[in-house]
Amino acid sequence: MTLVSGWGRFPVVDSELLRPRSFEAVGEAVAGCAGAVARGNGRAYGDAAIGASRTVAMTGFDRVRSFDPATGRIRLEAGVLLSDLIDTFGPRGFLPFVVPGTRFVSIGGAIAADVHGKNHHCEGGFGRYVESVLLRTGQGEVIEASREQNSDAFFATIGGMGLTGVILEATIRLRPVETGWIRERVISASDLDAAMRALDAGDSATYSVAWIDCAAGGSNLGRALIYLGEHASADELADGADRFPVGKDPGLAVPVDLPSMTLNRYSIRAFNELYYRMGARRAGRSHLVSLYPYFFPLDSISAWNRIYGRRGFLQHQCVIPEQGARDVLGEILDRVSKRGDASFLAVLKKLGQGDGILSFPLPGYTLALDFPLKGDILNFLDEIDRLVVAAGGRLYLAKDARQSRATFETGYPALKRFSAIRRSLDPAGNIRSKLSQRLFDEV
Amino acid sequence: MTSRKTVLVLGGSSDIGRATARAFAKAGYDVQFAGRDVAVLEPDAADLRARYNVECSIFKFDVLDTASFDGLVGGLPALPDVVISIVGLLGAQENAQSDLAHATTIMRSNYEGPSLILGLFAEKFLARGNGTLVGVSSVAGDRGRASNYVYGSAKAGFSAFLSGLRARASSSGVHVVTVKPGFVRTKMTEGMKLIGPLTVEAPVVGDAILQAVERKTDVVYVSGKWRLVMLIIKTLPEAIFKKLKF
């Protein structure tokens, strides 16, 4: 047995970790055990990629099967990382349509969590660009599922947290790009109203996201920097500039777990003040940035999860429907600011409709906050959840480690349909994760 | 357009073989993959074609079947620019101590076969006047250890073969590289206790081999730390070394 945990390092669970080398071996790993789930690169924060009794590591399956430069259509094994895809096909003029905040996720994980990027409001999530998946179901069949073929299995797999079976391969569409540069424009917003107005005004921008200073309170509550972005064309680059910048491996690493006192209300407030002022100074003008810092600002520091100390941290990411979002977000931010221990990573952005049956996004605003795991944080987050549920919102499963069954069930009304499809693919219940046990498997 | 260079990877289906082929294909080399099980190599060949738009062909190669070596060398459509032998077998030392067949397989897989096949290519390369031969040996060949001396002695033989070949070729356009990877997280080492700071992933080895070929390095310890570790291990007096049970 091996101790396994997600990126947030909570919970830590004893699970049998297998590394199959063939699709047959994947099948053997899943069959006849009390609950297995596939695991990509382990970037889900909580317990989504930890099997109830067995965890099936998929990163060894990292082959590209075929690529058609005429259409941008690519077939690949589920363990290929987005970073590998970007580094290999970026210089050839193709990028994924959707990337989350880290490039170190696997294709299988990106599909299972239907990850969203800074373009969800206009271009949808990762699942929208998936044409088909090769799925090894709990029942033991290997099926190809698409919008036309086995469509129930397909839409349950997009955002299905790996619970419909093991994703072995997928065919996805890539976006043709001229360069690996983003034309970025920063807008500073002095409070939450201004921040939400700026995000609304950025609806027509391909990419938009707001960094919120969650240490600020009072009249500064919700002050933010909004980052809008567009793909830069080749003629926007300076002469002699590389069309495609190189993605460096994370250089700066957090070598040890920092003592939990490193992050406190004073250090966070000071950091945020500085960060806000520096950003506000750049506001207005647009400039070119490499896609790497634009999309993946945290990837430049490897093992940044160690900042939160050995006990780990919790991320709380909710989405609130557009109607009435302002008041709920204001209330959440007010409570967070009074508490003072949320991290410098508060992100607000707009989402559109999700594609999968269990996909997280719905039209509205999503707020992501990190909290070190200590004190009464679990109770505090339960209170925040009540606000979210009352507003008709829900929490992102890829980041969750602690929400209650009630919160989940209210937030995801399509669960019944999802469960019916899951049962038909896996009547014996071979596929189970710690997350599914916690939130919806029958006990 | 200048014609592209070609690399032949012997033992292509291993983790280091796959990683090395990727590193060379990324650098623009066409790849000839050779391994025991041709069907296993096909997905990796398809991967290289799709990723890097290079030519990739597959050949059957069994390091124990030395009688087939002439046929392989003669049957290649083009003599490659670089030949890399990644073939090796760790085996089980405890079995090898009493099971002669197993010991023989370890010795032949790590010394006889790799040396003979690279020797054949050396003749072709010397006649042509250029080319690079790469042998993946092991730090285990630097000094015999109680826990794996059957494997280690075969690797020592291979290292000696490579250094001799390098000396012979030194005034020609042919270069010989010896690679000593140290601990690598692969199929071969799965389940073994590896020391974290001394352990690398297969792609690091692939990149190191490419760099060694391009820079004409003679002997590469993939992680520089191993050079120091092995310097200490090599210089320990035998009276002390024999008492160390590792």
Side-chain angles (χ1 to χ4, degrees), chain A residues 411-433:
Chain A
Y412 286 85
L415 174 64
K416 280 202 174 68
R417 187 176 161 221
F418 176 81
S419 294
I421 297 169
R422 188 171 159 226
R423 262 194 306 279
S424 73
L425 296 168
D426 181 21
N430 283 322
I431 308 275
R432 276 171 202 274
S433 62

Side-chain angles (χ1 to χ4, degrees), chain A residues 19 21 60-67 77 80 84-85 87-89 92, chain B residues 15 18 22 26 40 43-44 46-53 186-187 190:
Chain A
R19 287 183 193 284
R21 292 282 177 168
F61 298 99
D62 65 348
R63 296 175 190 86
V64 178
R65 312 297 302 232
S66 63
F67 172 65
E77 292 179 341
V80 174
D84 183 11
L85 192 60
D87 293 345
T88 304
F89 291 94
R92 294 179 70 178
Chain B
D15 288 337
R18 289 177 57 198
R22 265 197 199 168
K26 189 177 180 187
V40 165
D44 289 311
D47 174 72
L48 298 182
R49 291 182 202 116
R51 281 171 181 263
Y52 305 113
N53 206 16
T186 62
K187 266 181 288 199
E190 202 161 275

